[in-house]
């Protein structure tokens, strides 16, 4: 059952209708096989890009859809309710465009954004490193400026990078001085840059169509014009981008939970035991009611944060709340959905076990849920 | 290159389709959409127009809600649309439909170089309107095209039959109906959706076309649906338990049904 949505305009309703049509006709028929094989859905990203669904929250003049986050995120949620890996890839792509769109110069926006938002390109976000996860300020990847100042040479290894090996550009954070968190800078590194190599695809628990790899820069040389923001501004850019990125993850987690709930509710109406549908037993009916409450509150949380963002208000705390609430809810709802289907839910004949595996990572990436609590509590007590 | 695509707003085949009290297709109680078979004609028109700097006009006949079919085609990229909407048309048969379409096309300025249609509607599934329309317009008709090229004032079409594929050429202007093998219709893009809101849609009545209302509609129809009954639900399948002899039981079953 499609989620009930209050949308601000007729345009946004048309956008949701388009998303549902593409999801139903193109994504749904292939998701099971593709996830089983772990194939990167390149054609699907191209299709979504051509339809304009990968550039929604960015300005029209650079090829974006000029949509508020309130609408963009509901598109992400709709995609996630059919194919979580693709929704995460789409959210990551939006994240990779954020630094140029928000911190880039006019010249950089005009030069870089039309291609990034044109629908034919995908980005990857290179922040984490093998030894630097939540502690972003400890990263060791270094960008050394040439004597004439015209280029930077990047050296170091990034870890857990979505879209790695398939992306057209890498939004990369690297150290330009030894000044801890104040020594980081942001670069847009084109995929064809010499000196980039990729590790093996990580053998992950879920999101098999979202290949995660290490990205190694070995004296990868980029023009100084590819640096976004000032030297030393990297940490602020990364955290600002993640505030918005987290909303994408919250929306995706909500869609995943909605899909699990829909299938569990449908099964509870069909499956009969002791002479009646199992949904007629209060033990299961209340479990489903709690799942509905969790999904609805997840959606409300991310939409509230989105509306704060759209209104130009600070939303960092609300984004952390939304990410925490929605991803914890997704873990619980998908786990309970497996329970509703019983033995069937535990088999690969139904997608519920996959949903449960996919939910787990949402509590980990784009800031672990422990980091979200840190963000929230610091704002409360700071 | 001016191309007109005739499209139909049909009940969604995935919904519970039924008939109205007058035995015509129920178009009010069921969600409708641009006939999927017509999407191929729209896509083909857009491709030709893109390659030849052409313009695509979408034409439909139908009640108010048929505007949704036009909207979808405009979102895909068509340039303008014409909606013939007149209560008197309700219940028209293929003959009257082709008359109204012909009059509407004759009123267009400029006149089309190419008229495209789907191979049939997904509700009536008669598939005769394209040839009737070509006859009324005095155009060469080529039906069931699974490949189409336009060059040097001619259209060349591949027409796949059971035994052979024919290549047929016709001089423009011409009418061509296309099959679902000819292309892969595009999805609208979000930009296309936004742009479609500003595209011109003309609404014409029978009076605008100079068509006598007595020539169309249910009373003028040469054929009418006398009665209908729902198809019986499919029989429950037969479950064969494999007790080591599943293979031979399967062979017996297939033999009984003359598959072997």
């Amino acid at each position: 059952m499609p989620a009930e949505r209050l949308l601000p305009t007729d345009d946004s309703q048309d956008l949701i209708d388009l998303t549902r049509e593409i999801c139903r006709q193109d994504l749904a028929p292939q998701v099971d096989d593709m996830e089983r094989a772990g194939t990167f859905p390149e054609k699907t990203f191209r299709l979504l890009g051509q339809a304009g669904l990968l550039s929604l929250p960015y300005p029209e003049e650079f090829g974006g859809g000029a949509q508020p986050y309130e609408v963009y995120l509901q598109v992400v949620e709709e995609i996630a309710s059919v194919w979580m890996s693709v929704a995460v890839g789409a959210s990551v792509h939006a994240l990779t465009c954020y630094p140029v769109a928000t911190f880039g110069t006019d010249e950089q926006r005009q030069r870089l954004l039309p291609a990034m938002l044109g629908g034919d390109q995908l980005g990857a976000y290179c922040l984490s490193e093998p030894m630097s996860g939540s502690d972003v300020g400890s990263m060791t990847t270094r960008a050394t400026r040439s004597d004439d100042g015209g280029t930077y040479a990047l050296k170091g290894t990034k870890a857990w990078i979505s879209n790695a090996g398939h992306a057209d550009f890498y939004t990369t954070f690297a150290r330009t001085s030894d000044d801890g968190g104040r020594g980081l800078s942001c670069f847009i590194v084109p995929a064809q840059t010499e000196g980039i190599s990729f590790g093996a695809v990580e053998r992950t628990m879920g999101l098999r169509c979202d290949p995660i790899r290490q990205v190694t820069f070995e004296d990868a040389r980029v023009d100084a014009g590819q640096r976004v923001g000032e030297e030393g501004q990297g940490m602020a850019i990364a955290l600002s981008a993640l505030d918005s990125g987290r909303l994408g993850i919250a929306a995706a987690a909500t869609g995943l939970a909605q899909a699990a709930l829909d299938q569990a509710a449908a099964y509870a109406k069909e499956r009969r035991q002791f002479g009646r549908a199992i949904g007629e037993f209060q033990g299961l009916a209340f479990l489903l009611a709690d799942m509905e409450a969790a999904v609805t509150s997840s959606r409300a949380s991310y939409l509230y944060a989105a509306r704060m963002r759209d209104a130009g208000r600070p939303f960092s705390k609300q984004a952390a709340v939304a990410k925490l609430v929605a991803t914890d809810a997704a873990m619980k709802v998908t786990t309970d959905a497996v329970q509703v289907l019983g033995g069937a839910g535990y088999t690969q004949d139904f997608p519920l076990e996959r949903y449960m595996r996919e939910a787990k990572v949402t509590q980990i990436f784009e800031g672990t849920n422990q980091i979200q609590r840190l963000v929230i509590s610091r704002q409360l007590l700071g | 290159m001016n191309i007109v695509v005739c499209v139909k707003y049909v009940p969604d085949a995935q919904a519970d389709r039924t008939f109205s009290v007058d035995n015509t297709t129920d178009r009010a109680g069921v969600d409708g959409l641009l006939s999927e078979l017509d999407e191929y004609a729209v896509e083909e028109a857009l491709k030709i127009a893109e390659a030849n700097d052409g313009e695509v006009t979408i034409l439909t006949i139908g009640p108010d809600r048929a505007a949704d079919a036009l909207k979808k085609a405009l979102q895909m990229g068509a340039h303008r649309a014409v909606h013939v909407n007149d209560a008197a048309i309700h219940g028209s048969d293929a003959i009257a439909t082709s008359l109204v379409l012909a009059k509407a096309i004759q009123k267009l300025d400029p006149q089309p170089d190419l008229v495209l249609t789907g191979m049939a509607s997904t509700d009536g599934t008669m598939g005769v309107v394209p040839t009737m329309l070509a006859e009324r317009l005095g155009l060469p008709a080529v039906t069931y095209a699974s490949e189409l090229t336009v060059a040097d004032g001619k259209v060349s079409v591949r027409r796949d039959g059971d035994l052979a594929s024919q290549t047929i050429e016709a001089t423009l202007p011409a009418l061509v109906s296309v099959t679902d093998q000819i292309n892969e219709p595009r999805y609208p893009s979000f930009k296309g959706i936004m742009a479609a809101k500003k595209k011109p849609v003309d609404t014409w009545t029978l009076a605008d076309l100079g068509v006598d209302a007595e020539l169309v509609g249910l009373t003028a129809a040469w054929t009418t649906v006398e009665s209908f009954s729902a198809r019986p639900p499919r029989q429950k399948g037969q479950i064969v338990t494999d007790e080591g002899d599943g293979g031979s039981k399967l062979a017996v079953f297939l033999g009984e049904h003359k598959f072997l």
Side-chain angles (χ1 to χ4, degrees):
Chain A
M1 198 170 64
E4 216 177 15
R5 303 193 181 283
L6 271 180
L7 292 159
T9 59
D10 288 349
D11 293 345
S12 46
Q13 182 62 55
D14 287 343
L15 180 57
I16 292 291
D17 290 345
L18 171 67
T19 307
R20 284 180 176 161
E21 182 186 354
I22 293 177
C23 283
R24 186 180 66 242
Q25 292 182 11
D26 198 87
L27 274 61
Q30 55 169 326
V31 56
D32 291 346
D33 289 344
M34 292 286 277
E35 284 291 339
R36 212 160 278 146
T39 315
F40 184 72
E42 197 162 346
K43 278 188 189 159
T44 300
F45 281 116
R46 185 63 52 88
L47 173 66
L48 295 177
Q50 294 299 334
L53 301 187
L54 295 181
S55 56
L56 290 171
Y58 292 106
E60 222 167 351
E61 59 175 311
F62 303 120
Q67 289 301 295
Y69 257 58
E70 178 188 354
V71 175
Y72 152 65
L73 292 175
Q74 297 194 68
V75 170
V76 172
E77 190 202 318
E78 286 286 340
I79 297 172
S81 71
V82 177
W83 196 343
M84 185 63 173
S85 289
V86 171
V88 169
S91 177
V92 166
H93 176 71
L95 176 72
T96 63
C97 301
Y98 177 92
V100 177
T102 312
F103 294 93
T105 62
D106 285 346
E107 183 276 324
Q108 283 176 321
R109 281 201 285 262
Q110 274 156 21
R111 175 164 52 89
L112 297 171
L113 277 182
M116 291 163 91
L117 300 175
D120 294 328
Q121 292 200 2
L122 262 192
Y125 195 74
C126 296
L127 180 65
S128 294
E129 297 182 357
M131 302 307 287
S132 166
S134 298
D135 183 6
V136 175
S138 70
M139 79 168 54
T140 58
T141 296
R142 187 168 283 277
T144 308
R145 195 158 193 175
S146 60
D147 290 339
D148 65 2
T151 60
Y152 286 88
L154 273 68
K155 193 172 172 56
T157 295
K158 295 293 178 179
W160 318 118
I161 310 304
S162 287
N163 298 342
H166 299 279
D168 299 280
F169 60 91
Y170 293 82
T171 301
T172 305
F173 296 86
R175 180 166 295 293
T176 43
S177 84
D178 291 324
D179 194 9
R182 284 182 291 276
L184 310 182
S185 301
C186 175
F187 300 89
I188 305 300
V189 184
Q192 63 273 22
T193 304
E194 272 185 43
I196 304 181
S197 60
F198 306 100
V201 174
E202 304 285 353
R203 292 173 297 167
T204 53
M205 180 172 162
L207 293 188
R208 302 280 309 283
C209 291
D210 172 20
I212 307 292
R213 305 167 81 171
Q214 288 195 349
V215 179
T216 296
F217 299 97
E218 191 61 49
D219 283 324
R221 202 165 283 275
V222 292
D223 287 341
Q226 298 294 104
R227 191 196 71 221
V228 180
E230 298 301 319
E231 276 196 10
Q233 209 185 347
M235 180 78 135
I237 294 173
L239 296 187
S240 170
L242 283 176
D243 279 343
S244 294
R246 274 166 195 158
L247 291 177
I249 299 306
T254 305
L256 179 65
Q258 180 74 58
L261 168 61
D262 288 346
Q263 297 194 28
Y267 188 84
K269 282 193 265 188
E270 295 283 327
R271 167 77 170 171
R272 297 181 72 81
Q273 288 289 279
F274 304 104
R276 51 183 153 153
I278 58 173
E280 291 177 28
F281 294 101
Q282 199 179 53
L284 270 195
F286 278 17
L287 189 64
L288 289 161
D290 284 346
M291 290 159 75
E292 169 67 36
V295 174
T296 303
S297 49
S298 297
R299 187 173 296 120
S301 295
Y302 86 66
L303 285 175
Y304 175 63
R307 286 169 188 144
M308 295 293 271
R309 187 191 191 282
D310 293 334
R313 305 262 286 269
F315 66 99
S316 179
K317 182 181 72 180
Q318 288 80 0
V321 169
K323 201 270 185 183
L324 175 66
V325 166
T327 61
D328 280 357
M331 192 69 248
K332 183 165 188 335
V333 169
T334 54
T335 305
D336 288 345
V338 169
Q339 190 70 21
V340 171
L341 269 77
Y346 195 66
T347 68
Q348 293 183 10
D349 297 331
F350 292 82
L352 280 304
E353 61 84 27
R354 188 180 81 228
Y355 296 165
M356 186 174 158
R357 290 186 284 107
E358 290 173 335
K360 185 61 220 173
V361 77
T362 67
Q363 297 176 301
I364 297 170
F365 63 17
E366 297 211 16
T368 64
N369 282 8
Q370 286 65 39
I371 288 292
Q372 306 307 324
R373 289 179 171 94
L374 194 72
V375 171
I376 298 163
S377 59
R378 273 184 184 163
Q379 294 217 17
L380 273 178
L381 305 169
Chain B
M1 170 70 90
N2 288 296
I3 306 167
V4 172
V5 187
C6 303
V7 303
K8 189 171 183 185
Y9 178 77
V10 298
D12 187 346
Q14 306 205 358
D16 288 330
R17 293 180 293 179
T18 184
F19 292 90
S20 303
V21 285
D22 61 0
N23 289 355
T24 61
T25 307
D26 179 12
R27 297 180 194 284
V30 185
D31 279 342
L33 39 70
L34 169 62
S35 173
E36 282 166 25
L37 289 174
D38 294 343
E39 283 190 17
Y40 297 93
V42 174
E43 174 65 31
E44 199 60 22
L46 294 175
K47 282 166 67 177
I48 299 167
E50 283 158 7
N52 296 282
D53 198 20
E55 190 158 293
V56 177
T57 301
I58 308 296
L59 169 62
T60 198
I61 304 173
D64 293 352
R65 292 177 72 186
D68 282 353
L70 298 178
K71 185 168 120 180
K72 174 76 180 281
L74 292 173
Q75 289 175 344
M76 288 171 74
H79 300 83
R80 54 188 294 246
V82 174
H83 184 177
V84 181
N85 186 355
D86 194 312
I89 298 172
H90 172 80
S92 290
D93 60 2
I95 296 161
T97 301
S98 66
L99 171 68
V100 179
L101 286 173
K103 291 289 186 187
I105 289 172
Q106 282 162 348
K107 187 175 155 75
L108 290 173
D109 182 30
Q111 281 290 291
D113 304 293
L114 182 64
V115 178
L116 290 180
T117 70
M119 58 193 266
S121 60
T122 56
D123 55 355
T125 56
M126 295 185 68
V128 295
V129 168
T131 40
M132 287 181 173
L133 176 59
E135 177 68 18
R136 290 190 187 274
L137 293 171
L139 296 180
V142 189
T143 53
Y144 301 105
S146 48
E147 199 178 287
L148 191 163
T149 46
V150 172
D152 306 325
K154 289 180 190 148
V155 59
S156 178
V157 158
R158 198 187 79 226
R159 196 173 189 273
D160 293 331
D162 286 342
L163 298 174
S165 286
Q166 303 163 311
T167 301
I168 298 173
E169 207 174 74
T171 53
L172 294 177
L175 180 145
V176 180
S177 76
V178 305
T179 71
D180 57 358
Q181 301 302 307
I182 196 165
N183 56 41
E184 192 62 47
R186 68 192 70 186
Y187 291 101
S189 69
F190 183 50
K191 284 197 180 71
I193 288 174
M194 302 293 278
K197 294 172 196 293
K198 299 183 193 110
K199 292 176 177 173
V201 178
D202 290 319
T203 304
W204 293 340
T205 61
L206 289 178
D208 293 330
L209 301 179
V211 174
D212 185 345
E214 289 190 0
L215 296 176
V216 302
L218 197 53
T219 49
W222 289 24
T223 56
T224 54
V225 176
E226 282 293 301
S227 66
F228 66 89
S229 57
R231 241 191 236 174
R234 277 177 64 167
Q235 301 289 315
K236 220 174 182 178
Q238 181 188 342
I239 295 175
V240 178
T241 311
D242 182 12
E243 292 158 341
D245 57 353
S248 45
K249 281 181 179 168
L250 183 62
V252 170
F253 175 85
L254 292 173
E256 280 172 0
H257 291 80
K258 301 202 176 3
F259 285 112
L260 288 178

